[in-house]
């Protein structure tokens, strides 16, 4: 372990070898200027260079164009091949220049180049499977289709505007003119993991790949794309394989709830595709959130913290909603207690009681929405245990309670 720690320290020492440290503060912050004058600071300020997820294609001198819709409809992977080829050339150039580093870092340079080469080979193996395995190709195409469709849906909440004979009415949908595309690191992450997901005997099956990028760079989309691929592949290989296939764990309940809302949109997109594809089984794709009674109900009907009790209290303005969703993931229609000037008979938009099994269910309150009957979303612990959603979003403390 000590050798491993020393190696990691040396690795960071090489990466930051151009950033000299002239002082370390104890009980205070220190800084220095270009003249190397050292001084203390109450509030340290550091200027960080911008980090962009975009990579310029050396051939076109433009950003790589990795259109999700094209990848869902075509079997032309020339743009991905070009990306991998340019990554290969970059690694080759780094390898040629490795002697430029300080001699004490030669082993670190070799290590990093080896890791880059290994990533490239795994990406190439993933692309090879897409091209030569019909199940993997179909799962990849459907994953791109679901990611494209969910990104084309509005994220804005459409508030309740009134009530008609068929139910609540809502603000108009807002058009989305974006063209969903993959960033190079996102498609690289997906390609790198395809072989180990598709091949149960893969030597990388036990690997844990860390995806690091600053906030707003697109990490969530990368793992959602891989999630879609994984769930589609399971159904393609066995339409009856409808249990939980993906689990994500977060440390903060607020972050968990935020990610759940984003992930629910993907699951709705996948379920919309399943309904028009007989080969994906009869069980809906679904998502569940498993956090704790402070955030979501543990039980359906019994107890003061049950789902039914929360719905009753919500109707009578005695509690806030514990059903997480504030709008339909698919069309944006408002879910919850509408504003007092538009609410009708204390009817809660998008939440209603369910007969079998006895409890509460979520649905889109806009009658024109695909999910006006029910949303493939579970927020009650007992529902999660019974229905085993395809995708489970949870907090670490929930797993810590397991025997």
């Amino acid at each position: 372990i000590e050798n491993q720690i020393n190696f990691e320290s040396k690795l960071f020492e090489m990466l930051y070898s151009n950033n000299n440290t002239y002082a370390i503060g104890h009980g205070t912050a220190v800084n220095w200027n270009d003249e190397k004058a050292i001084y203390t600071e109450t509030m340290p300020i550091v200027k960080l260079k911008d980090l962009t997820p975009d990579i310029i294609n050396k051939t076109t001198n433009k950003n790589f164009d990795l259109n999700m819709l094209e990848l869902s409809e075509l079997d032309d992977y020339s743009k991905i091949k070009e990306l991998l080829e340019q990554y290969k050339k970059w690694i080759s150039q780094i390898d040629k220049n490795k002697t430029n580093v300080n001699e004490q870092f030669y082993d670190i340079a070799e290590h990093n180049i080896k890791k880059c080469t290994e990533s490239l080979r795994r990406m190439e193996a993933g692309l090879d499977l897409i091209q030569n395995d019909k199940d993997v190709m179909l799962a990849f195409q459907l994953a791109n289709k679901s990611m494209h469709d969910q990104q084309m849906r509005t994220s804005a909440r459409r508030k309740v505007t009134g009530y008609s004979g068929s139910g609540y009415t809502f603000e108009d949908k807002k058009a989305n003119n974006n063209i969903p595309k993959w960033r190079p690191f996102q498609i690289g992450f997906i390609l790198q993991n395809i072989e180990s997901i598709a091949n149960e005997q893969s030597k990388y099956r036990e690997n844990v790949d860390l995806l690091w990028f600053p906030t707003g760079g697109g990490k969530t989309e990368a793992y959602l794309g891989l999630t879609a691929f994984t769930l589609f592949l399971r159904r393609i290989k066995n339409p009856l394989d409808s249990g939980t296939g993906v689990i994500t764990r977060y440390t903060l309940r607020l972050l968990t709830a935020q990610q759940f809302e984003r992930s629910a949109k993907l699951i709705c997109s996948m379920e919309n595709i399943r309904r028009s594809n007989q080969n994906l089984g009869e069980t809906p794709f679904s998502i569940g959130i498993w956090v704790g009674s402070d955030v979501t109900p543990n039980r359906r009907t019994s107890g003061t913290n049950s789902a039914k009790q929360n719905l009753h209290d919500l109707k009578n303005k005695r509690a806030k909603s514990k059903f997480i969703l504030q709008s339909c993931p698919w069309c944006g229609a408002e879910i919850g207690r509408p504003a007092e000037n538009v609410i009708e008979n204390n009817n809660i938009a998008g939440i209603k009681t369910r007969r079998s099994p006895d409890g509460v269910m979520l649905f889109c309150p806009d009658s024109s929405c695909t999910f006006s009957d029910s949303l493939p979303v579970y927020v009650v612990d007992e529902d999660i245990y019974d229905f085993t959603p395809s995708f489970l979003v949870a907090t670490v403390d929930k797993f810590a309670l397991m025997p």
Side-chain angles (χ1 to χ4, degrees):
I1 294 177
E2 184 177 347
N3 289 337
Q4 186 177 349
I5 293 173
N6 291 336
F7 184 84
E8 189 175 82
S9 298
K10 191 176 179 182
L11 190 153
F12 286 116
E13 189 179 346
M14 187 200 78
L15 290 176
Y16 295 99
S17 57
N18 293 328
N19 300 85
N20 295 320
T21 300
Y22 297 105
I24 297 175
H26 295 275
T28 186
V30 292
N31 208 339
W32 49 86
N33 56 29
D34 294 338
E35 287 75 36
K36 299 183 180 58
I38 299 171
Y39 50 89
T40 60
E41 278 191 331
T42 304
M43 183 65 70
I45 298 174
V46 177
K47 292 183 179 179
L48 297 176
K49 293 182 179 179
D50 289 335
L51 187 61
T52 175
D54 299 320
I55 297 178
I56 300 297
N57 185 328
K58 301 293 184 183
T59 304
T60 63
N61 205 32
K62 297 179 180 179
N63 290 336
F64 274 96
D65 182 16
L66 302 164
N67 188 298
M68 292 179 184
L69 188 60
E70 289 180 1
L71 291 173
S72 74
E73 297 175 342
L74 307 175
D75 57 2
D76 177 12
Y77 302 109
S78 56
K79 292 180 179 178
I80 294 180
K81 290 179 181 177
E82 190 173 23
L83 174 64
L84 298 187
E85 184 59 33
Q86 292 191 25
Y87 181 49
K88 183 177 182 179
K89 290 179 179 178
W90 179 81
I91 295 172
S92 178
Q93 187 61 45
I94 294 294
D95 190 36
K96 291 178 181 177
N97 297 334
K98 65 185 178 184
T99 54
N100 292 342
V101 302
N102 192 299
E103 187 175 348
Q104 65 171 317
F105 297 129
Y106 280 179
D107 58 334
I108 301 296
E110 288 281 2
H111 169 82
N112 287 350
I113 292 169
K114 182 180 177 181
K115 286 293 184 182
C116 289
T117 303
E118 182 180 69
S119 288
L120 174 63
R121 287 173 180 165
R122 291 177 64 190
M123 292 178 205
E124 290 173 336
L127 181 58
D128 184 66
L129 274 177
I130 292 171
Q131 293 176 299
N132 297 295
D133 186 312
K134 63 178 183 179
D135 289 345
V136 173
M137 176 185 285
L138 179 57
F140 183 72
Q141 290 174 332
L142 292 177
N144 275 279
K145 173 65 174 170
S146 62
M147 287 296 295
H148 169 272
D149 291 354
Q150 67 101 5
Q151 288 199 19
M152 291 300 294
R153 310 303 294 191
T154 179
S155 296
R157 181 167 58 160
R158 299 164 51 225
K159 292 184 178 181
V160 173
T161 56
Y163 191 87
S164 67
S166 59
Y168 285 117
T169 56
F170 300 86
E171 295 174 334
D172 292 335
K173 298 176 184 177
K174 295 181 180 179
N176 184 354
N177 299 318
N178 293 331
I179 300 176
K181 297 179 180 180
W182 292 112
R183 289 169 170 170
F185 85 89
Q186 294 170 334
I187 198 69
F189 177 74
I190 293 170
L191 289 172
Q192 181 168 290
N193 285 280
I194 281 179
E195 189 273 337
S196 58
I197 289 173
N199 176 17
E200 293 185 4
Q201 305 304 319
S202 172
K203 68 177 184 179
Y204 298 109
R205 186 77 172 183
E206 300 299 321
N207 272 35
V208 177
D209 288 306
L210 175 65
L211 182 62
W212 184 92
F213 210 88
T215 300
K219 296 186 295 296
T220 299
E221 283 70 25
Y223 83 72
L224 286 180
L226 195 59
T227 293
F229 171 81
T230 302
L231 295 178
F232 275 128
L233 185 62
R234 285 165 60 108
R235 290 290 185 93
I236 291 167
K237 289 185 175 295
N238 179 6
L240 298 178
D241 189 356
S242 58
T244 301
V246 176
I247 297 175
T248 60
R249 294 181 298 176
Y250 294 92
T251 53
L252 300 175
R253 291 180 180 178
L254 179 60
L255 179 61
T256 306
Q258 291 172 342
Q259 293 299 323
F260 174 74
E261 293 187 73
R262 296 178 68 179
S263 303
K265 186 187 292 188
L266 171 66
I267 292 299
C268 286
S269 179
M270 293 178 65
E271 172 56 14
N272 191 49
I273 292 172
R274 184 203 65 82
R275 292 179 180 184
S276 60
N277 192 320
Q278 296 179 348
N279 298 323
L280 294 174
E282 297 182 0
T283 305
F285 284 114
S286 58
I287 185 170
I289 182 168
W290 194 46
V291 284
S293 59
D294 289 342
V295 182
T296 59
N298 288 142
R299 300 185 180 277
R300 298 180 182 124
T301 59
S302 60
T304 56
N305 289 324
S306 69
K308 267 196 168 182
Q309 185 64 49
N310 184 240
L311 177 58
H312 179 269
D313 291 343
L314 191 59
K315 287 182 177 182
N316 292 283
K317 298 171 59 176
R318 289 202 297 261
K320 293 183 178 180
S321 174
K322 284 191 173 184
F323 298 98
I324 301 298
L325 293 183
Q326 298 182 34
S327 61
C328 170
W330 194 237
C331 75
E334 181 181 1
I335 289 178
R337 184 182 175 87
E340 293 305 310
N341 62 323
V342 292
I343 193 169
E344 183 74 14
N345 295 325
N346 282 333
N347 285 327
I348 304 301
I351 310 171
K352 63 183 179 182
T353 56
R354 180 186 60 206
R355 288 186 179 180
S356 180
D358 188 15
V360 174
M361 63 181 290
L362 291 163
F363 68 99
C364 178
D366 187 339
S367 59
S368 65
C369 180
T370 303
F371 298 98
S372 59
D373 289 334
S374 66
L375 280 163
V377 171
Y378 300 109
V379 300
V380 182
D381 286 11
E382 288 184 333
D383 282 343
I384 290 170
Y385 304 145
D386 284 350
F387 294 108
T388 58
S390 317
F391 187 8
L392 183 62
V393 180
T395 47
V396 172
D397 60 333
K398 274 294 207 180
F399 286 90
L401 292 173
M402 295 176 66

